């Protein structure tokens, strides 16, 4: 009889421990967000992912080229445009080098960066001009022998891969930024069960 009562008491103790563990309150993880805005004019440093050059006469107006964000863009201490995010630009002007020492020239503008599948419009432009093929030499050779200046050419315009280009956000982008840190989950420890003798 004593063994039956002792066994029943142990069963009740185990069931009570299970009930306490099962009914322990678990707090849901909630993160608060605050509204913020990535403002027009925010600077976005970009790195050219490919070389742009008028050499070979392959560059065309309207041609697109690739860049990447060189440094993270932050709003309220939170990264909203991570470094390495892809960006796109467009060639707006191409002049190839030519006779009489004419140098090459190229112009380009920034279009957008992509973050989490969303395109963020950018503004900004850059250009490069090759070196003229010795204007003084062309003038002197033209006086001495006119056709000699005709064969002198300038250099091609070239913007090397890795060049840092300054861009700017060209639209206000609304953001939802997580604030604070979520509270840790409240997990109760199981009640120790007394071992029987």
């Amino acid at each position: 009889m004593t063994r039956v009562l002792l066994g029943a008491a142990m069963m009740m103790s185990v069931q009570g421990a299970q009930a306490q563990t099962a009914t322990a309150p678990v707090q849901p993880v909630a993160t608060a967000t605050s509204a913020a805005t990535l403002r027009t004019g925010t600077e976005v440093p970009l790195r050219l992912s490919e070389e742009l050059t008028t050499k070979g006469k392959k560059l065309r107006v309207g041609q697109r080229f690739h860049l990447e964000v060189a440094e993270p863009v932050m709003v309220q201490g939170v990264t909203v445009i991570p470094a390495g995010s892809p960006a796109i630009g467009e060639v707006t002007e191409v002049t190839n080098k030519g006779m009489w020492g004419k140098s090459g020239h190229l112009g380009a503008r920034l279009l957008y960066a992509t973050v989490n599948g969303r395109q963020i419009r950018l503004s900004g432009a850059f250009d490069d001009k090759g070196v003229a093929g010795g204007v003084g030499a062309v003038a002197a050779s033209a006086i001495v022998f006119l056709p000699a200046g005709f064969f002198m050419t300038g250099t091609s315009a070239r913007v090397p891969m890795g060049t840092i280009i300054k861009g700017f956000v060209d639209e206000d982008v609304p953001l939802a930024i997580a604030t604070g840190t979520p509270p840790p989950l409240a997990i109760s420890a199981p009640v120790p069960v007394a071992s029987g003798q």
Side-chain angles (χ1 to χ4, degrees):
M1 178 91 173
T2 308
R3 285 185 182 170
V4 173
L5 288 175
L6 183 59
M10 286 180 64
M11 285 291 282
M12 288 176 63
S13 172
V14 170
Q15 288 174 349
Q18 289 174 345
Q20 285 179 354
T21 302
T23 60
V26 177
Q27 297 176 353
V29 177
T31 55
T33 58
S34 70
T37 303
L38 176 61
R39 295 281 179 204
T40 300
T42 301
E43 187 176 328
V44 182
L46 300 161
R47 180 180 297 111
L48 195 59
S49 302
E50 57 189 280
E51 180 182 69
L52 296 178
T53 180
T54 58
K55 186 176 182 178
K57 301 183 179 182
K58 294 179 182 175
L59 201 63
R60 301 280 179 253
V61 171
Q63 182 175 328
R64 301 251 171 128
F65 56 90
H66 297 274
L67 308 101
E68 65 177 29
V69 176
E71 297 173 18
V73 177
M74 315 278 281
V75 173
Q76 295 180 6
V78 176
T79 299
V80 294
I81 303 179
S85 297
I88 297 291
E90 181 181 54
V91 175
T92 56
E93 182 183 351
V94 176
T95 303
N96 293 309
K97 69 178 185 175
M99 302 305 179
W100 299 104
K102 185 177 85 171
S103 61
H105 180 263
L106 69 85
R109 67 184 178 122
L110 303 173
L111 296 178
Y112 60 86
T114 303
V115 181
N116 293 329
R118 185 192 194 285
Q119 292 180 355
I120 298 173
R121 284 195 325 263
L122 298 175
S123 63
F126 62 96
D127 63 355
D128 186 69
K129 185 174 183 177
V131 179
V135 176
V138 172
S141 63
I143 292 170
V144 176
F145 185 61
L146 190 60
F150 178 76
F151 291 108
M152 295 185 76
T153 62
T155 60
S156 297
R158 177 178 173 265
V159 183
M161 181 173 77
T163 300
I164 300 296
I165 296 163
K166 191 183 291 187
F168 301 92
V169 174
D170 197 33
E171 62 179 322
D172 283 348
V173 181
L175 306 168
I177 297 178
T179 58
T181 56
L185 287 177
I187 301 173
S188 60
V191 177
V193 178
S195 58
Q197 294 181 4

